[in-house]
């Protein structure tokens, strides 16, 4: 009774063969040993060994190995599966022969595989039809691109760029911006001090003071740059980040001008449909001071997003429907006095925004530290 299961595979007569002796030095002895058991077994071994030795590549080798030793339809495997249906004596002889064949063919297959793999590693043929290796071209960092996009926008509104130092004097970072020495508002701007008087700037606003001391009104300037704070680092806080401040000083500048400018900015960044709001907030260097929020683009301002098993609180705006975008306000009269401008003559507005926050909102980046890690898998997405 034949064993149940699929029929054995067939060996393709067109397959190329080769002498297996280099792979199995005792090939001839093996043939003799098998012939003594049963010439048909010797034939099966010889054919299998020659086919494995003749495999030109790993794919061909695999195909032949499956036909001979494959678990389902391998010829040797099927032969072993049929043993129980044989009379006892025949079963012993065939069983011994087939087990030898199985072991020897496996050895030849492994030896041939090694030869093929070594050859593939050392081969130096030049295939002139292969496409060339594309050189890996880098590009600018996402923050640099956002900065330039914003500078472009403000350039269109008549602003030019003013750069001021990252290592700043206390006077410019704080005092002349109307943070008196013991003012509690300094607490929110803890930073790295080089001396009692010299520190890493906590915002780009000191640039206003330098620009106003240097130039006469009217002024229309933007101040891009890196800023520092001694923050506990987490997903949304780093001890260095980037800001752009803006400053507009002239006669009769009003809060309405500020609002129009900020709305132009928000619509350029978040689309013409973007809704914004100004809410009052304290900064020592502006009066009145405000914060501009933009409607959360993730939840459309509802504060809730659809999720499995019903609506969930929107994680981006924390359920408020609004995202804080920037700080702004009318330049404080004390700041004008500190730089020698006459607050009876001029008025002005200013604003300051964080670039990381804008990029995180726009691209849905969940982690501020990614900007600094320089992992190309992150960088190349922008
Ligand atoms: N300099 C402020 C900060 O870094 C932001 C700001 C700028 C607020 C201009 C009002 C006006 O927090």
């Amino acid at each position: 009774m034949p064993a149940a299961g699929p029929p054995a595979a067939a060996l393709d007569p067109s397959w190329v063969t080769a002498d297996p002796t280099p792979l199995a030095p005792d090939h001839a002895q093996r043939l003799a040993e098998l012939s003594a058991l049963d010439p048909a077994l010797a034939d099966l071994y010889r054919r299998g060994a020659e086919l494995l030795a003749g495999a030109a590549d790993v794919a061909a080798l695999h195909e032949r190995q499956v036909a001979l030793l494959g678990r389902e339809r391998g010829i040797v495997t099927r032969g072993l599966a049929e043993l129980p249906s044989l009379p006892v004596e025949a079963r012993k002889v065939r069983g011994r022969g087939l087990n030898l064949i199985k072991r020897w063919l496996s050895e030849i297959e492994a030896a041939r595989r090694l030869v093929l793999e070594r050859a593939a590693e050392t081969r130096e043929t030049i295939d002139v039809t292969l496409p060339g290796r594309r050189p890996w071209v880098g590009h600018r960092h996402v923050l640099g691109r956002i900065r330039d996009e914003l500078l472009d926008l403000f350039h269109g509104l008549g602003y030019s760029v003013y750069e001021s130092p990252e290592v700043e004097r206390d006077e410019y970072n704080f005092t002349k911006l109307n943070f008196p020495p013991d003012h509690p508002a300094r607490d929110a701007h803890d930073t790295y001090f080089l001396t009692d008087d010299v520190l890493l700037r906590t915002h780009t606003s000191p640039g206003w003071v330098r620009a106003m001391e240097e130039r006469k009104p009217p002024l229309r300037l933007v101040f891009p740059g890196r800023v520092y704070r001694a923050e506990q680092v987490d997903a949304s806080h780093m001890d260095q980040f980037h800001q752009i401040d803006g400053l507009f000083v002239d006669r009769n500048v009003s809060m309405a001008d500020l609002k129009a400018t900020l709305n132009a900015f928000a619509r350029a960044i978040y689309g013409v449909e973007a809704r914004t709001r100004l809410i009052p907030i304290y900064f020592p260097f502006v009066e009145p001071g405000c914060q501009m929020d933009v409607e959360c683009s993730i939840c459309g301002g509802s504060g809730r997003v659809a999720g499995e098993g019903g609506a969930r609180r929107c994680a981006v705006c924390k359920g408020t429907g609004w995202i804080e975008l920037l700080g702004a306000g009318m330049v404080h009269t004390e700041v004008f006095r500190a730089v020698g401008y006459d607050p009876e003559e001029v008025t002005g507005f200013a604003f300051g925004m964080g670039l990381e926050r804008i990029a995180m909102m726009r691209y849905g980046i969940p982690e501020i530290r990614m900007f600094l890690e320089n992992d190309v898998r992150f960088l190349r997405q922008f």
Side-chain angles (χ1 to χ4, degrees):
M1 183 194 72
L11 300 179
D12 188 330
S14 72
W15 281 345
V16 177
T17 59
D19 176 10
T21 315
L23 301 172
D26 51 354
H27 182 58
Q29 282 134 272
R30 292 177 178 181
L31 279 174
E33 191 177 339
L34 288 170
S35 290
L37 290 175
D38 178 349
L41 291 176
D43 275 350
L44 173 60
Y45 166 69
R46 185 190 329 101
R47 178 99 183 114
E50 288 173 357
L51 284 172
L52 292 171
D57 52 42
V58 174
L61 183 63
H62 179 68
E63 186 178 27
R64 294 165 189 206
Q65 187 265 347
V66 168
L68 290 160
L69 303 169
R71 239 193 301 155
E72 288 282 314
R73 301 184 55 218
I75 292 170
V76 179
T77 319
R78 294 301 308 155
L80 285 166
E82 281 159 11
L83 287 178
S85 64
L86 298 181
V88 181
E89 266 318 301
R91 191 192 305 168
K92 272 193 190 158
V93 173
R94 242 181 115 64
R96 186 171 138 66
L98 285 170
N99 276 310
L100 285 174
I101 293 173
K102 183 176 168 186
R103 192 173 86 219
W104 290 339
L105 291 184
S106 300
E107 288 168 10
I108 291 173
E109 192 262 342
R112 181 65 188 153
R113 178 177 300 276
L114 207 66
V115 170
L116 290 172
E117 285 172 353
R118 291 243 171 89
E121 275 168 21
T122 55
R123 190 164 1 202
E124 274 207 53
T125 51
I126 295 171
D127 181 349
V128 294
T129 65
L130 282 176
R133 274 192 211 140
R134 205 179 280 263
W136 199 77
V137 180
H139 63 70
R140 302 185 47 235
H141 192 279
V142 55
L143 289 177
R145 291 155 73 122
I146 294 224
R147 179 198 57 208
D148 285 358
E149 184 183 331
L150 293 175
L151 292 182
D152 243 25
L153 170 73
F154 287 115
H155 184 75
L157 296 174
Y159 290 74
S160 40
V161 172
Y162 187 100
E163 309 241 20
S164 76
E166 282 179 33
V167 180
E168 190 49 287
R169 306 247 310 274
D170 178 288
E171 223 188 334
Y172 287 93
N173 196 78
F174 293 123
T175 316
K176 292 182 178 187
L177 284 169
N178 195 33
F179 289 81
D182 292 311
H183 199 281
R186 287 185 176 222
D187 286 352
H189 287 242
D190 190 14
T191 184
Y192 302 102
F193 285 80
L194 284 78
T195 69
D196 281 351
D197 181 44
V198 180
L199 47 81
L200 297 184
R201 67 178 173 191
T202 62
H203 48 175
T204 44
S205 309
W208 327 345
V209 179
R210 292 184 171 274
M212 288 191 287
E213 284 184 347
E214 214 177 276
R215 303 180 186 184
K216 292 199 174 334
L219 292 183
R220 213 184 291 193
L221 296 170
V222 275
F223 306 83
R226 192 193 305 259
V227 302
Y228 302 82
R229 295 202 191 166
E231 295 272 8
Q232 192 71 37
V233 175
D234 65 23
S236 52
H237 295 88
M238 255 192 328
D239 57 0
Q240 50 180 292
F241 54 101
H242 297 79
Q243 290 187 332
I244 294 183
D245 265 41
L247 175 70
F248 188 153
V249 183
D250 203 341
R251 288 175 200 279
N252 303 318
V253 177
S254 76
M255 194 90 187
D257 300 314
L258 171 62
K259 246 183 120 165
T261 303
L262 294 182
N263 279 334
F265 154 76
R267 291 189 183 125
I269 296 292
Y270 293 100
V272 284
E273 301 292 314
R275 294 209 311 147
T276 59
R277 69 176 183 186
L278 291 183
I279 53 179
I281 190 166
Y282 176 77
F283 298 100
F285 34 88
V286 285
E287 178 58 38
C290 59
Q291 161 185 323
M292 186 167 82
D293 293 352
V294 65
E295 202 169 53
C296 176
S297 57
I298 305 299
C299 63
S302 68
R304 306 194 62 75
V305 286
E308 284 165 45
R312 286 186 284 107
R313 192 177 79 132
C314 175
V316 173
C317 63
K318 307 218 158 55
T320 62
W322 296 94
I323 307 274
E324 179 193 334
L325 251 198
L326 49 78
M330 302 306 294
V331 177
H332 201 287
T333 48
E334 281 305 311
V335 176
F336 282 143
R337 280 194 196 96
V339 299
Y341 282 13
D342 179 357
E344 301 298 326
E345 281 283 310
V346 293
T347 49
F349 66 72
F351 53 86
M353 61 190 80
L355 295 190
E356 280 83 353
R357 173 188 287 276
I358 292 172
M360 287 168 84
M361 273 305 298
R362 179 189 280 181
Y363 299 116
I365 299 168
E367 240 301 341
I368 194 169
R369 285 170 281 197
M370 288 178 161
F371 292 108
L372 218 66
E373 280 167 353
N374 282 340
D375 184 329
V376 289
R377 291 169 300 180
F378 170 74
L379 296 177
R380 64 156 59 120
Q381 293 177 53
F382 305 99

